[in-house]
Amino acid sequence: MNSKLLKCLPVALAGLFIGTAAQAQEPASTPLRSWSIGVNAGVLTPLSPLGGKNDFSNNKSSFGYGLYIKKQFTPYFSLRLDGVRGKLKGDNSEAYDSGVINNSPVKAFDTQLEYSGSLNAVVNMFNIDMFKKEDVLQLYASAGAGLAGYKPTITTASGTSAYAGGKTISELIIPVGLGAKFRLSDGVNLDLGWTINFVDGDNLDGYYRNGNDKYNYGYAGLEFALGKGKQLAFHNPVAATYDQAVAAKNTANALKADLDAQKAENAKLRSEMNDLLKDSDGDGVADKLDKCPGTPAGTVVDGSGCPIKIPAPQVTEKVIVTEADRKVVAEAIKNLEFDLGKATIRAKSYATLNRVAALLVEKNFSLKLAGHTDITGSRELNMRLSKDRAESVKAYLVSQGANASRIEATGYGPDQPIATNKTAAGRQQNRRVEFTLY
């Protein structure tokens, strides 16, 4: 193994795991294509070269064709949606390779593969040259699952007939494949592949022997990359990582020289800054900006270094609401009545409201008034009515000497019910103005 490969093997292994990261580091001016479509044609055979029991001794090769669409997620992994059509044929005109003659009641079959659709995970196993950013040859493996629909026609001693009444049989398939891809240009690849399809059933050849059927498809085709730029599938992050490492090493010495020069410059600047930031009296303002030098230690100063006059702290009296105060408010709430559908306070409510006004004047309380309605009528009307009723109570209290700035009136309409709106009693409870002292 040459010395270049030995030195760069660790970088190559790291690149296999950080392919996506290396891709993200590519310049924005070089986008990578990730979508592609492919068409192919080849040979369909109703058996598997991997062995197993075959229902017919002479399996024939027939023409097949397909297409696919593929999304490449990383240089090593993609998802591919495949579709294949064609025919599968076989008979017992020849003996098995062992010399045994097949005497089954079904002499021959001809199956029309109406459709074969599958979703496959495709893994690019490696690029041929790990030091080349974009390779020309790539090997891959695939596996997935899908559905095949087919119509067998069988030949017996009594003649030829449609199997299962001529209806299309649909069964699960598991495709497993290998392939090689050759990059012909930035947008076109030659695709050579071979897929074995394992069928979850024994109806493919029209002869049921209690064993799963299988068929393989060998093909050649063209793949067309969509979009602009290079293909992500042929992008080699190992080479990109290696080039970045080499570039980093080449710039390290230049950076070191720049760093040494910057250290010398920083030392000079640090000395100049120390002179600029010198603070002889320790008040936090540099001597060059200090208009009141020599202030005593601990003195609070402004931006020019002069003492700041600190105002004396203000003492706020704590407000205490007693049970007697709450009782006065509760009585006012209980006796509060308005004209039907209006914000006009009825005269019977004045006495208890007068006691609330006197309480606000005497103790300098603040009061929050919250108006509420039931859901009868439109929401817009209820919002306006709840606000008007709260404002009406405020206006009355102010007329009795209360401080208007200490009273807040808010309307909530039907949004905060305290009872159900489905009964008359519940709606009555919801039509209210709440008083909150503080």
Side-chain angles (χ1 to χ4, degrees):
M1 186 178 293
N2 62 49
S3 59
K4 181 182 180 182
L5 185 59
L6 283 173
K7 291 179 181 178
C8 299
L9 186 57
V11 176
L13 294 175
L16 293 175
F17 295 98
I18 61 172
T20 304
Q23 172 196 344
Q25 295 173 358
E26 286 288 311
S29 59
T30 57
L32 298 175
R33 306 189 198 191
S34 61
W35 285 96
S36 59
I37 56 174
V39 293
N40 51 62
V43 177
L44 282 166
T45 310
L47 53 79
S48 168
L50 299 180
K53 180 173 63 177
N54 294 320
D55 296 340
F56 290 83
S57 57
N58 181 31
N59 288 289
K60 299 180 179 180
S61 298
S62 304
F63 176 73
Y65 58 94
L67 58 83
Y68 64 81
I69 182 170
K70 186 183 72 172
K71 169 64 176 177
Q72 195 77 33
F73 293 95
T74 75
Y76 305 105
F77 177 77
S78 64
L79 287 178
R80 191 180 69 197
L81 187 62
D82 286 86
V84 177
R85 292 195 68 188
K87 279 195 174 185
L88 299 167
K89 296 180 180 180
D91 56 36
N92 295 321
S93 60
E94 299 178 2
Y96 285 110
D97 291 341
S98 62
V100 176
I101 297 175
N102 190 343
N103 294 316
S104 70
V106 180
K107 304 300 182 182
F109 79 94
D110 185 327
T111 296
Q112 176 65 45
L113 189 62
E114 298 288 343
Y115 64 85
S116 173
S118 62
L119 181 64
N120 297 278
V122 182
V123 177
N124 295 336
M125 292 184 286
F126 60 87
N127 290 317
I128 298 302
D129 187 349
M130 70 173 61
F131 299 107
K132 195 172 183 179
K133 284 187 177 181
E134 191 179 29
D135 227 321
V136 294
L137 172 61
Q138 194 174 75
L139 304 181
Y140 64 87
S142 65
L147 196 67
Y150 50 85
K151 290 182 179 180
T153 300
I154 59 174
T155 300
T156 62
S158 59
T160 300
S161 62
Y163 181 73
K167 67 180 182 180
T168 300
I169 301 171
S170 297
E171 289 178 322
L172 174 71
I173 57 171
I174 303 296
V176 178
L178 295 170
K181 198 167 292 184
F182 300 85
R183 183 173 58 85
L184 303 180
S185 69
D186 285 342
V188 182
N189 307 318
L190 174 64
D191 188 14
L192 304 178
W194 172 52
T195 303
I196 304 172
N197 297 272
F198 297 91
V199 183
D200 187 26
D202 193 25
N203 300 297
L204 185 68
D205 53 17
Y207 183 33
Y208 190 85
R209 296 180 63 190
N210 199 27
N212 290 347
D213 289 328
K214 45 199 170 292
Y215 63 94
N216 70 78
Y217 177 47
Y219 59 87
L222 294 176
E223 180 182 66
F224 302 93
L226 306 179
K228 297 180 179 180
K230 305 293 184 180
Q231 297 184 56
L232 177 57
F234 283 92
H235 174 68
N236 189 346
V238 177
T241 303
Y242 172 74
D243 289 347
Q244 289 166 7
V246 172
K249 183 178 179 181
N250 291 338
T251 58
N253 292 334
L255 289 173
K256 186 178 182 302
D258 288 343
L259 182 61
D260 291 339
Q262 285 297 321
K263 285 181 178 180
E265 183 66 20
N266 289 342
K268 179 182 178 182
L269 290 174
R270 193 177 295 111
S271 176
E272 294 175 353
M273 285 297 296
N274 288 337
D275 292 337
L276 288 173
L277 299 176
K278 185 177 181 181
D279 181 13
S280 302
D281 54 11
D283 60 2
V285 179
D287 291 350
K288 291 183 178 295
L289 302 175
D290 198 339
K291 294 182 179 179
C292 300
T295 52
T299 303
V300 179
V301 299
D302 58 19
S304 62
C306 295
I308 298 175
K309 294 182 180 180
I310 302 175
Q314 296 181 351
V315 179
T316 303
E317 182 180 354
K318 184 177 182 181
V319 177
I320 300 176
V321 181
T322 66
E323 287 299 323
D325 300 333
R326 293 191 179 92
K327 186 176 180 181
V328 172
V329 171
E331 285 294 323
I333 295 173
K334 180 179 178 181
N335 295 324
L336 182 59
E337 291 186 9
F338 297 89
D339 288 344
L340 182 63
K342 298 180 180 180
T344 306
I345 303 172
R346 291 181 177 175
K348 65 172 294 185
S349 305
Y350 292 165
T352 51
L353 286 177
N354 289 343
R355 287 196 287 272
V356 173
L359 185 64
L360 295 177
V361 173
E362 177 188 353
K363 295 192 174 183
N364 203 26
F365 283 147
S366 294
L367 177 66
K368 180 177 181 180
L369 299 170
H372 303 273
T373 67
D374 59 23
I375 62 172
T376 304
S378 68
R379 186 175 185 281
E380 180 182 0
L381 176 62
N382 285 326
M383 291 297 292
R384 185 171 63 251
L385 180 59
S386 65
K387 172 69 172 175
D388 289 347
R389 284 181 170 178
E391 289 288 355
S392 181
V393 174
K394 176 180 178 180
Y396 183 82
L397 294 174
V398 172
S399 74
Q400 299 302 309
N403 187 346
S405 66
R406 288 187 171 272
I407 302 176
E408 174 187 355
T410 308
Y412 295 98
D415 294 345
Q416 298 182 8
I418 59 173
T420 178
N421 278 299
K422 295 182 179 179
T423 64
R427 292 191 294 273
Q428 175 63 35
Q429 294 180 59
N430 289 333
R431 296 192 295 270
R432 68 197 189 278
V433 176
E434 295 177 345
F435 292 53
T436 305
L437 281 178
Y438 62 97

